[in-house]
Amino acid sequence: MSDEVKTRRRYESALRREQSSLTRVRIVEAATRLFTTDGYAAVSVGRIAADAGVAVDTLYALVGRKPALLREVVEVAISGAPGAVAADDRDYVRRVRAAPTAGEKLRIYAESIAEMSPRTGPVFMALRDAARLDADCLALDREIAERRAANMLRFAADLRATGQVRADLPDRFVADVVWATAGPQHYSELADGRGWTAAEFGDYLVETWSRLFLAPT
């Protein structure tokens, strides 16, 4: 096989991978729109495929069954990227860990939660509804909840390492309060129910966490 043929095949292979990636993005975007608008139960795979402009077989090949679609929707919402990103590799997590004081860590994290909540809030609420109807979605909901809880414990330990957190508050308490107040249901109640902006939600988190967690200086 000539070098020219090898080069052409590598180019064609790279082009196919890029096209597949773009198609996958369209599928996930379509699933996100439909799941968060009409609910998981009301949306068929065929409808998602049609909205994305692809064949159902293509959807199955690139993403998978309906629960796999929802998982991808959740992971993309959390990461803000085309696919899942491990917690340690997220930019805001790195900035939180690099911040020298507990106050700065709380501010960075609260601002990050506020920035992502408009996209994660509706997705998590769709997942919560789907979990009532589908065993795979229930397992995913529990998995995400446990992942968040574990990450909050790490966040609490990181805060504790600054020496600026109240000594009478166990890390588990700090983690659980952050888990609840930064959660999608809390955001939805304030944003959808009371008309709060994302920025107001972030300011509220900073103020609440700082007053509750930080030791007097």
Side-chain angles (χ1 to χ4, degrees), residues 110-145:
E111 290 176 351
S112 300
I113 290 295
E115 185 274 330
M116 69 175 68
S117 286
R119 71 170 185 266
T120 58
V123 167
F124 277 123
M125 298 307 289
L127 172 60
R128 184 69 52 83
D129 290 340
R132 299 188 180 101
L133 305 170
D134 184 280
D136 289 333
C137 295
L138 176 60
L140 175 60
D141 187 41
R142 289 174 175 170
E143 175 192 328
I144 296 297

Side-chain angles (χ1 to χ4, degrees), residues 77-213:
I78 293 172
S79 69
V85 176
D88 289 344
D89 294 331
R90 296 170 196 159
D91 175 68
Y92 73 88
V93 173
R94 290 173 173 167
R95 289 189 289 116
V96 165
R97 291 184 178 160
T101 68
E104 289 177 86
K105 291 177 186 294
L106 291 173
R107 178 185 57 78
I108 292 169
Y109 190 51
E111 290 176 351
S112 300
I113 290 295
E115 185 274 330
M116 69 175 68
S117 286
R119 71 170 185 266
T120 58
V123 167
F124 277 123
M125 298 307 289
L127 172 60
R128 184 69 52 83
D129 290 340
R132 299 188 180 101
L133 305 170
D134 184 280
D136 289 333
C137 295
L138 176 60
L140 175 60
D141 187 41
R142 289 174 175 170
E143 175 192 328
I144 296 297
E146 289 304 315
R147 273 169 45 183
R148 288 187 64 240
N151 288 336
M152 299 314 172
L153 276 172
R154 297 174 67 187
F155 178 55
D158 190 39
L159 291 173
R160 180 79 57 192
T162 66
Q164 297 167 332
V165 174
R166 286 170 46 188
D168 61 315
L169 298 181
D171 284 1
R172 178 60 182 268
F173 174 86
V174 173
D176 285 351
V177 170
V178 174
W179 184 89
T181 53
Q185 186 167 348
H186 197 50
Y187 170 77
S188 178
E189 288 172 343
L190 292 173
D192 300 334
R194 303 306 305 160
W196 284 32
T197 65
E200 288 172 331
F201 183 64
D203 290 342
Y204 152 76
L205 292 180
V206 174
E207 182 72 13
T208 300
W209 294 345
S210 297
R211 286 179 178 272
L212 184 57
F213 300 150

